[in-house]
Amino acid sequence: MRDYGIAIDIGTSGLRAQSIDLNQDKVLATAITMGHPVPGANVMDHLDFAIDMEKSMARNLILSSLNSLLERLRIDLGRVERVAVCGNPIQLSIFQDMEIRDLAYSGERAKKKLGIENIKRDARVLDAGSLGLNVHPEAEGYIPPAVKHEIGADALAMMYKTDFLTTDEISMVTDYGTNAEMAIKIGNDIITGSAAAGPAIEGQHVGKGMLAAPGAISDIDPREDGLVNTYVLNRDLYKSRGAVIDPNSGEIVEKGEYEAKGITGTGVVALVSTGMDTGLMSPGKINNEENLVRLQKGIEFSQEDLREVGKTIAAFTSGHMTLTQESGISLRDIKNMYMTGATGTYVDAFKAMKLGLVPGTVEKVMQVGNTSLALACDIVRDTGMLDILQETADSIRAKHLMFAESKVFENAFAVEMGVWVQGMPFDQEEGMRKHFGLEPRPPLNPDPDVIRIRERDIHDLGMHGLTVVENVGTVLRGELSECNECGRCIKSCNEEALSLRPDGSVMVIEVNTGRCLGTACKRCERACKSKFLKLHSLKVESGGMV
Ligand code: SF4
Ligand code: SF4
């Protein structure tokens, strides 16, 4: 008797899984990782790693972590009937061991020159066992379709799990994650796009950043006395009252209900919005003596962090501008905004509007949660949905906009980077927008209708609740028969991802993949003057999640 289903979301910043009792139609347990097992901070790093390293290495890292995660779902995995896996095209292709090189190039000419064919990524049903998941060997595996190579099943999820597809009003939906998938609906036309927003939107690549998990500062409010109120996600991922802090000294003036460990993407948005309101920050600059905000001992936010967030703001703003302008409408025509993903759910929507992450003039904002995991849950419950999703993907495929080929995006991104990273004043920004034929920054609607459809990004954690895996624990390991133990490689690794230890006549090298920056870095290889260290030669060791 097989009574269980499993829903999986392979996100760029972490993996999420839920067990479902199929007889009682209810979620049993949820498990998430606080990082991705493949080295690198964004999906292009993961793609580069998968192409550059031994092909199976990235897949084995994902599989090893997923199988460890499944063990935390409080079910007998031998009684699993079906599994649905959602994610973006790069993650799903690596997971399914499919061709990925076509995803690395946006231009058709470059692909043709290199002899790379575009791969169809339609909906699939196959044995979950053949996917490498440690469940019943006859369990079925369901993979939803991609729309286009940048717009995957996770982007379909954000459209499908809201009423975006059926609304008659001009509306926009955006996943506030590292890949910033977005779409607008004008009449019956749906136009999609995707901008590389970077990891800061999910609280990563920020000094004390973390994903939306217990202990994350998720919101900040200014106070008249110059202090700030912080809010922290509690054990059940609900927003609870955090400490009252002096942001210049980091002094805790009043303790909160739940202790903070770091700051997540929504907290970062709130911090920058608060900083701009109070004069503590201006674009690209923290205006106190140390150029540093302290949100209590050990949780600091630097000018470098502010610039990292600036790149994210520039990507979202430019993407929204490109979608509307290339479609012949104004940002002011958008009536409704649907915000998805953890940041889209927990962020104070008005603060996001102030920074331009949501077009300022929208009338209604709906915050919807993690739609990718929710869609995987829906497929587990009703497998017939796969056909509907395929039809939807086919019907909207033709109207995808490649931002990499858009002059509007190129100009908009240059202007917004000038503001948010280089500190260009807003009045100068208006001049630059005019110069490039971009529409002026829309005025801010002071009273938008904000509807929080979901209080948590994962709506139903199940009767056994949430397990958070702080350290994915995947390791690349190998033996060096030649090494003079100079230690240069260790010193070169700012991420502290590398370790070396003697074992008999060889040196054993280990790379913690959750910390490693991957092929974009390779400082350790370059530091080894004798060229003994080759990341290619290492092998994946099974996960030791903690
Ligand atoms: S130095 Fe090496 S181990 Fe460290 S982050 Fe860079 S590639 Fe990874
Ligand atoms: S830099 Fe090369 S020789 Fe030096 S410790 Fe590292 S692997 Fe060994």
Side-chain angles (χ1 to χ4, degrees):
M1 178 105 168
R2 288 188 276 138
D3 324 87
Y4 302 123
I6 292 177
I8 293 172
D9 169 36
I10 307 180
T12 296
S13 51
L15 313 176
R16 300 165 187 96
Q18 289 197 304
S19 51
I20 297 158
D21 183 324
L22 296 174
N23 299 321
Q24 297 188 47
D25 192 26
K26 64 179 189 190
V27 176
L28 295 173
T30 304
I32 64 173
T33 66
M34 286 291 285
H36 196 288
V38 176
N42 61 51
V43 74
M44 293 316 285
D45 287 346
H46 297 164
L47 180 65
D48 284 347
F49 183 89
I51 290 174
D52 196 41
M53 296 290 174
E54 193 183 315
K55 194 167 177 276
S56 59
M57 202 185 264
R59 178 171 185 261
N60 288 343
L61 285 167
I62 291 177
L63 261 182
S64 162
S65 301
L66 273 181
N67 280 323
S68 298
L69 207 56
L70 298 193
E71 284 167 17
R72 288 159 165 81
L73 290 180
R74 316 277 287 263
I75 55 170
D76 175 354
L77 295 173
R79 287 168 59 192
V80 170
E81 173 72 23
R82 63 186 87 108
V83 182
V85 189
C86 203
N88 72 46
I90 291 174
Q91 306 293 357
L92 285 186
S93 300
I94 295 173
F95 168 64
Q96 294 175 85
D97 204 13
M98 289 168 75
E99 170 67 277
I100 46 172
R101 289 174 307 155
D102 61 317
L103 301 172
Y105 299 91
S106 53
E108 290 305 319
R109 217 177 298 157
K111 278 188 252 186
K112 210 169 174 187
K113 208 167 151 196
L114 295 165
I116 299 170
E117 303 229 337
N118 286 322
I119 301 296
K120 264 191 145 191
R121 292 182 171 82
D122 285 343
R124 294 175 83 197
V125 184
L126 61 175
D127 289 345
S130 71
L131 290 169
L133 296 172
N134 292 340
V135 291
H136 190 283
E138 285 169 24
E140 292 158 353
Y142 291 83
I143 312 283
V147 178
K148 200 85 176 178
H149 84 267
E150 294 177 314
I151 298 289
D154 54 343
L156 261 185
M158 75 183 181
M159 294 180 232
Y160 192 83
K161 292 295 295 176
T162 59
D163 56 8
F164 174 81
L165 290 170
T166 51
T167 180
D168 291 330
E169 292 184 307
I170 296 181
S171 300
M172 180 179 268
V173 59
T174 298
D175 183 47
Y176 286 84
T178 56
N179 310 320
E181 292 94 348
M182 51 186 78
I184 49 170
K185 183 165 187 283
I186 310 167
N188 289 324
D189 288 339
I190 292 169
I191 303 109
T192 56
S194 167
I201 193 67
E202 295 187 354
Q204 298 197 312
H205 266 211
V206 168
K208 284 295 164 187
M210 62 186 283
L211 295 179
I217 295 176
S218 64
D219 199 5
I220 293 168
D221 276 335
R223 292 166 41 124
E224 283 185 358
D225 55 9
L227 306 175
V228 293
N229 293 325
T230 63
Y231 301 88
V232 178
L233 295 181
N234 68 16
R235 201 178 310 117
D236 298 316
L237 290 183
Y238 285 117
K239 182 174 154 181
S240 65
R241 192 173 54 78
V244 177
I245 312 265
D246 177 340
N248 289 305
S249 67
E251 184 195 343
I252 297 179
V253 178
E254 191 184 311
K255 274 192 158 188
E257 292 166 357
Y258 205 83
E259 202 179 326
K261 289 189 207 161
I263 182 164
T264 191
T266 55
V268 165
V269 169
L271 177 60
V272 177
S273 170
T274 296
M276 301 282 288
D277 280 351
T278 57
L280 179 60
M281 293 177 194
S282 44
K285 191 159 188 294
I286 297 174
N287 299 320
N288 61 14
E289 228 169 79
E290 290 182 279
N291 303 123
L292 191 72
V293 177
R294 292 197 162 94
L295 291 169
Q296 65 195 269
K297 196 164 176 256
I299 307 180
E300 293 165 350
F301 185 84
S302 67
Q303 196 144 295
E304 209 176 298
D305 294 332
L306 179 60
R307 291 188 180 137
E308 198 61 38
V309 179
K311 289 181 207 162
T312 296
I313 298 173
F316 279 100
T317 313
S318 312
H320 290 161
M321 227 189 292
T322 307
L323 267 190
T324 49
Q325 200 150 329
E326 294 272 20
S327 307
I329 64 164
S330 158
L331 281 165
R332 296 165 198 237
D333 294 327
I334 298 167
K335 299 279 180 266
N336 306 317
M337 180 73 182
Y338 299 87
M339 305 179 77
T340 70
T343 299
T345 308
Y346 294 121
V347 76
D348 177 324
F350 192 59
K351 290 176 185 139
M353 283 173 78
K354 281 185 180 171
L355 297 183
L357 288 163
V358 173
T361 42
V362 296
E363 292 168 10
K364 201 153 108 182
V365 183
M366 282 146 286
Q367 297 181 273
V368 198
N370 178 325
T371 50
S372 188
L373 184 63
L375 185 72
C377 274
D378 284 0
I379 297 169
V380 165
R381 290 174 152 132
D382 174 11
T383 57
M385 270 195 56
L386 218 55
D387 293 335
I388 300 167
L389 291 167
Q390 184 65 57
E391 275 169 33
T392 310
D394 292 342
S395 69
I396 61 179
R397 185 161 295 134
K399 298 232 162 142
H400 177 64
L401 259 175
M402 293 291 294
F403 289 171
E405 294 170 0
S406 164
K407 201 71 193 161
V408 175
F409 185 83
E410 186 186 320
N411 291 334
F413 191 65
V415 174
E416 293 308 300
M417 286 288 281
V419 174
W420 293 103
V421 178
Q422 285 147 21
M424 183 201 295
F426 286 121
D427 53 351
Q428 209 173 321
E429 178 207 17
E430 285 311 317
M432 293 296 283
R433 283 190 181 217
K434 200 168 172 194
H435 172 77
F436 285 117
L438 304 167
E439 77 168 299
R441 185 177 281 271
L444 186 66
N445 173 3
D447 191 22
D449 188 8
V450 177
I451 303 165
R452 202 180 279 270
I453 292 173
R454 297 291 185 214
E455 284 297 320
R456 298 187 290 212
D457 72 319
I458 303 176
H459 166 57
D460 181 2
L461 297 174
M463 59 187 272
H464 297 301
L466 176 71
T467 304
V468 179
V469 176
E470 302 265 354
N471 179 0
V472 285
T474 39
V475 166
L476 296 177
R477 186 174 294 151
E479 290 179 357
L480 302 179
S481 52
E482 291 182 293
C483 168
N484 57 26
E485 299 181 44
C486 70
R488 277 199 200 99
C489 53
I490 307 280
K491 274 192 215 128
S492 74
C493 182
N494 296 340
E495 315 306 316
E496 297 178 4
L498 194 68
S499 69
L500 270 176
R501 63 181 156 79
D503 186 3
S505 61
V506 296
M507 290 295 280
V508 175
I509 176 170
E510 283 186 352
V511 174
N512 177 337
T513 66
R515 285 172 175 261
C516 175
L517 300 176
T519 45
C521 172
K522 287 194 176 176
R523 279 191 309 263
C524 50
E525 270 195 13
R526 290 195 297 277
C528 184
K529 300 290 176 215
S530 311
K531 305 212 177 308
F532 296 146
L533 197 166
K534 297 267 177 243
L535 291 171
H536 278 92
S537 65
L538 308 182
K539 295 272 176 277
V540 176
E541 292 293 317
S542 54
M545 286 180 168
V546 286

